[in-house]
Amino acid sequence: ALKLSTDESSDSPPGSTPAPVVLTRYAAQSLYAPLRTVEALPGVRRVLLHPDLNLGTLLPNLSVSATALAAWRLGDYWVSAVRLRNNSHHWLALDPRELQGHFTTATFQHPSLGPHGRPSDTTVLYLITQGHDLRRSLLPALSPFDAALNLPHPASAAHEQ
C-alpha cells in the first residue's frame, strides 16, 4: 500500500511518498493511461480549471502557447496540467527555473519541445501549488494599455499651478 505524506518536513515517516509526487503521478496517469489502470488515490478530487485561464506569463521567454487542461486536489495541494506547444521552428529546452509564478513543484512530461508542426512540439507541464489553485499562483499579466496616457503632461501641470 502507498503511504502518503502531506508533510514536507524531514519528520515524514521513512518510505512515505510526498503528496506532490503522488499527485503529479496521478495527474499524468489520468491524462495518458487507460482509465482501468489509474490507481485510486483516496482523497483526490478533480477541481475546476478554467480552460481560458491566461497563462501568458508562465514562460514569457519562450515562444510557446500554454493551455490549461485539468486540475486535481489532494488536501492542501493542487496539481494543474498545462499543455505547452512550441510556436517556433527550432527545438526548445524546458527548464523549470524559467517558469514565472509561485509553484511548489513543476514537472515537464518531456524535457524539450520539437519544432512547431512536428509530433514532438507538444508536452504537458504539471504544476503543484499549495494552499491555493493555479490562478492565484500566476504572475499578473501586464495590461496592453499604457496607463501613463492618463497622466497630465508636465507642461499642462505647470500651467495649472
Side-chain angles (χ1 to χ4, degrees):
L2 177 67
K3 294 181 187 175
L4 177 63
S5 168
T6 55
D7 181 16
E8 289 189 37
S9 71
S10 60
D11 299 333
S12 296
S16 64
T17 305
V21 173
V22 172
L23 203 48
T24 299
R25 184 182 311 134
Y26 181 85
Q29 289 176 347
S30 296
L31 290 177
Y32 289 105
L35 285 178
R36 60 181 165 68
T37 65
V38 177
E39 186 176 336
L41 184 58
V44 71
R45 61 186 171 95
R46 185 134 182 200
V47 293
L48 180 63
L49 180 64
H50 295 282
D52 60 347
L53 183 62
N54 183 356
L55 299 170
T57 61
L58 190 60
L59 282 164
N61 295 330
L62 294 179
S63 179
V64 297
S65 57
T67 306
L69 295 176
W72 295 265
R73 182 176 180 184
L74 177 63
D76 199 30
Y77 291 96
W78 280 257
V79 61
S80 301
V82 175
R83 180 178 50 229
L84 299 177
R85 179 166 286 137
N86 188 350
N87 295 325
S88 74
H89 294 287
H90 58 275
W91 282 89
L92 296 176
L94 299 173
D95 185 340
R97 296 172 294 185
E98 293 183 15
L99 292 166
Q100 300 293 307
H102 181 71
F103 312 113
T104 303
T105 66
T107 305
F108 294 103
Q109 186 83 31
H110 303 100
S112 61
L113 290 174
H116 179 73
R118 291 192 185 173
S120 59
D121 74 354
T122 303
T123 193
V124 175
L125 167 63
Y126 302 96
L127 294 167
I128 299 283
T129 56
Q130 187 176 7
H132 48 77
D133 63 3
L134 179 60
R135 181 187 311 266
R136 294 187 49 210
S137 296
L138 298 170
L139 295 181
L142 295 177
S143 172
F145 302 103
D146 184 359
L149 294 174
N150 294 321
L151 295 175
H153 295 288
S156 63
H159 284 66
E160 292 176 6
Q161 293 179 1

